[in-house]
Amino acid sequence: MYKTITEPRVGEEGVTFTVEVGFTDRECLVSRNALAHLRRMKGGQLDFLQTYRAFEDQIHSVARRLVVAGVSGSPLVLGAAYFV
């Protein structure tokens, strides 16, 4: 059986995406302030989706660690403090 991967979506609060941890999918949101913080680290004029793509591996890594740690929320919100 093949699994459909949901593409990240830009919304008013940030970018939503899905991570898989232990055969479970978890809906996550990387907030606009977190994306703005990451964009400043890159030093460019990227939009939110471009910033998400540039830091996608790091964002997914943080999300997976939070899921494993049992952080609740639906979606699981990743704020700027997780990327300092």
Side-chain angles (χ1 to χ4, degrees):
M1 176 180 232
Y2 291 99
K3 187 173 188 175
T4 304
I5 297 174
T6 306
E7 286 294 314
R9 298 169 307 283
V10 178
E12 286 187 30
E13 296 179 10
V15 175
T16 57
F17 62 97
T18 303
V19 294
E20 183 178 348
V21 178
F23 302 110
T24 302
D25 291 340
R26 185 76 183 271
E27 186 78 14
C28 302
L29 169 76
V30 59
S31 69
R32 292 174 67 93
N33 66 345
L35 291 165
H37 171 74
L38 292 170
R39 182 175 53 202
R40 283 190 300 274
M41 288 175 46
K42 190 83 168 171
Q45 296 297 320
L46 304 174
D47 67 24
F48 286 132
L49 189 55
Q50 290 171 326
T51 303
Y52 169 83
R53 290 288 188 208
F55 290 93
E56 188 169 8
D57 290 341
Q58 183 179 354
I59 291 168
H60 281 233
S61 176
V62 169
R64 284 187 192 98
R65 282 184 272 147
L66 292 174
V67 170
V68 169
V71 176
S72 63
S74 185
L76 176 62
V77 179
L78 285 70
Y82 291 116
F83 300 98
V84 176

